């Protein structure tokens, strides 16, 4: 590994960032999470997809490696995401019913975690379209000032 990459990894590791990964059904995501945890580059949070229970076993297997695995249907997580969605989008017409549907989707849950400071970033795009990734991020995190 080059000196540059080693320096980047060292700095990333020192920051101890928590990164949310909402695409646990994608093998590339699982491999990335596995590598980040193994090399202690970041502290990954893997969100299982309620629509894909067949993939939960592979995600839960990473808990042994120290990966935090969460289910967006967990009451506290779902409620916090719902609250964030309504705070961010009710004025634009988002109804409580639609917000309840979105609150259990891993992409919205991950960005809500960023909004609340529970994660410093969300890594997505392997399984979601760019539009879906940007929509969730803009709705819940928003653009940087300026």
């Amino acid at each position: 590994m080059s000196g540059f990459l080693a320096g980047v990894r060292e700095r990333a590791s020192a920051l101890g960032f928590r990164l949310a990964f909402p695409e646990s059904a994608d093998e590339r995501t699982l491999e990335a999470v596995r590598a980040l945890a193994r090399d202690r580059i970041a502290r990954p949070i893997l969100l299982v997809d309620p629509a894909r229970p067949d993939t939960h076993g592979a995600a839960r297997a990473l808990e042994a490696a120290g990966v935090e695995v969460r289910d967006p249907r967990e009451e506290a997580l779902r409620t916090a995401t719902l609250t964030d969605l309504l705070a961010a989008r009710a004025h634009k017409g988002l109804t409580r019913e639609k917000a309840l549907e979105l609150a259990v989707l891993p992409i919205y849950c991950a960005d809500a975690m960023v909004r609340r400071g529970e994660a410093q970033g969300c890594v997505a795009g392997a399984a979601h379209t760019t539009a879906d990734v940007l929509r969730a991020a803009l709705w819940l995190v928003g653009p940087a000032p300026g």
Side-chain angles (χ1 to χ4, degrees):
M1 179 180 344
S2 76
F4 172 77
L5 286 180
V8 169
R9 285 178 179 226
E10 185 177 315
R11 287 190 304 277
S13 180
L15 292 171
F17 280 171
R18 292 168 44 98
L19 299 175
F21 290 81
E23 298 172 325
S24 64
D26 188 284
E27 184 55 42
R28 296 168 295 178
T29 298
L30 295 177
E31 184 55 38
V33 165
R34 194 175 293 113
L36 288 170
R38 178 191 62 233
D39 297 343
R40 294 186 171 95
I41 295 169
R43 296 174 20 217
I45 305 164
L46 189 61
L47 294 154
V48 297
D49 185 347
R52 298 285 313 272
D54 58 306
T55 64
H56 292 192
R60 293 280 180 202
L62 293 174
E63 288 177 311
V67 174
E68 182 179 346
V69 179
R70 305 284 306 268
D71 187 327
R73 296 172 298 182
E74 295 169 16
E75 186 175 346
L77 199 51
R78 185 185 70 238
T79 300
T81 302
L82 172 65
T83 300
D84 289 339
L85 280 163
L86 290 172
R89 301 300 295 182
H91 72 283
K92 294 278 193 174
L94 182 66
T95 65
R96 181 173 179 77
E97 292 74 28
K98 183 63 178 174
L100 278 167
E101 289 175 26
L102 297 174
V104 295
L105 297 178
I107 189 81
Y108 287 93
C109 183
D111 282 318
M113 292 177 79
V114 174
R115 177 186 178 102
R116 293 189 302 274
E118 296 172 14
Q120 284 69 51
C122 169
V123 180
H128 289 87
T129 66
T130 300
D132 289 341
V133 171
L134 289 175
R135 183 178 305 106
L138 288 172
W139 281 18
L140 288 160
V141 180

